[in-house]
Amino acid sequence: MKLVVVTAGLSVPSSTRLLADRLAGAAARELGGAGREVDVRVVELRELARDIADNLVTGFPPPALRDAVRAVEEADGLIAVTPIFSASYSGLFKSFVDVLDKDALTGTPVLIAATGGTARHSLALEHVMRPLFAHLRAVVVPTAVFAASEDWGANGADGSLAGRIDRAARELAALLAGRPAATHQDEQVVPFAQQLAALRGQ
């Protein structure tokens, strides 16, 4: 089963990447406990920033971006994590989403998460992130995870960051456990001469 983690943190180290890794680890543990083998891949958008900009301008994705897009499109489940700037997802995150095919995430279970300086940014998950993935016809888990600066180091009690991570991971795992792993067949390319011969035979 393929679990892809898209993280849009801009700094190194990044609290956004840290949250993404903790969510991925929790989801992998939940799926492993249910007897599912999980292949986790992290797509670090910071490393693809120039490729994303080039693609938006030219319409042609460079190889690294094409590979990242294919990974997302072939994922059984997705974890999407962005920093919140000016009450919304980052421009880098939205630009990557704009590169995806409009039907790429139809029916895909998605866990949404975000980081920000204060908890007052947490509603961005509900008023911008959730509607974005609803528009893409993804299946978004009920629990969205927001981590403010003061959340790091909290204990594991209900309501803490650790508790929210575990709850969201269980919800994602429950959706994935009920689905067969996606099978993606390579597109069959028919040579032009063969197509022409078939037309002549009609």
Side-chain angles (χ1 to χ4, degrees):
M1 179 165 284
K2 297 177 181 179
L3 178 62
V4 175
V5 184
V6 174
T7 173
L10 299 179
S11 60
V12 178
S14 164
S15 61
T16 303
R17 175 61 189 267
L18 178 59
L19 178 59
D21 289 342
R22 290 186 61 177
L23 288 165
R29 286 193 299 274
E30 290 289 337
L31 288 165
R36 304 300 293 264
E37 292 186 10
V38 187
D39 176 23
V40 178
R41 171 165 178 185
V42 177
V43 175
E44 185 75 67
L45 297 186
R46 180 180 180 275
E47 299 172 355
L48 299 170
R50 289 190 178 183
D51 287 354
I52 293 170
D54 287 344
N55 183 81
L56 290 174
V57 173
T58 67
F60 297 99
L65 178 58
R66 187 184 307 115
D67 180 61
V69 168
R70 184 182 300 113
V72 170
E73 291 176 344
E74 295 180 354
D76 296 291
L78 183 70
I79 296 175
V81 191
T82 178
I84 298 299
F85 299 135
S86 302
S88 188
Y89 34 63
S90 72
L92 178 61
F93 180 83
K94 181 56 164 60
S95 295
F96 178 74
V97 172
D98 288 344
V99 167
L100 301 175
D101 183 272
K102 63 181 179 63
D103 298 319
L105 297 180
T106 299
T108 302
V110 177
L111 191 167
I112 56 173
T115 57
T118 65
R120 64 192 176 91
H121 295 299
S122 61
L123 285 178
L125 281 165
E126 301 302 329
H127 73 73
V128 292
M129 284 282 280
R130 196 177 294 276
L132 172 65
F133 284 99
H135 171 73
L136 295 171
R137 298 190 298 279
V139 181
V140 184
V141 303
T143 301
V145 180
F146 182 84
S149 298
E150 62 266 25
D151 284 322
W152 297 105
N155 61 37
D158 289 343
S160 71
L161 177 59
R164 296 195 302 274
I165 288 172
D166 288 343
R167 183 168 65 248
R170 285 194 298 271
E171 292 169 355
L172 180 63
L175 284 175
L176 290 171
R179 292 163 49 96
T183 56
H184 302 278
Q185 297 180 351
D186 294 333
E187 183 179 356
Q188 298 297 316
V189 179
V190 180
F192 178 73
Q194 184 176 336
Q195 296 181 45
L196 190 58
L199 289 173
R200 288 174 178 164
Q202 292 180 351

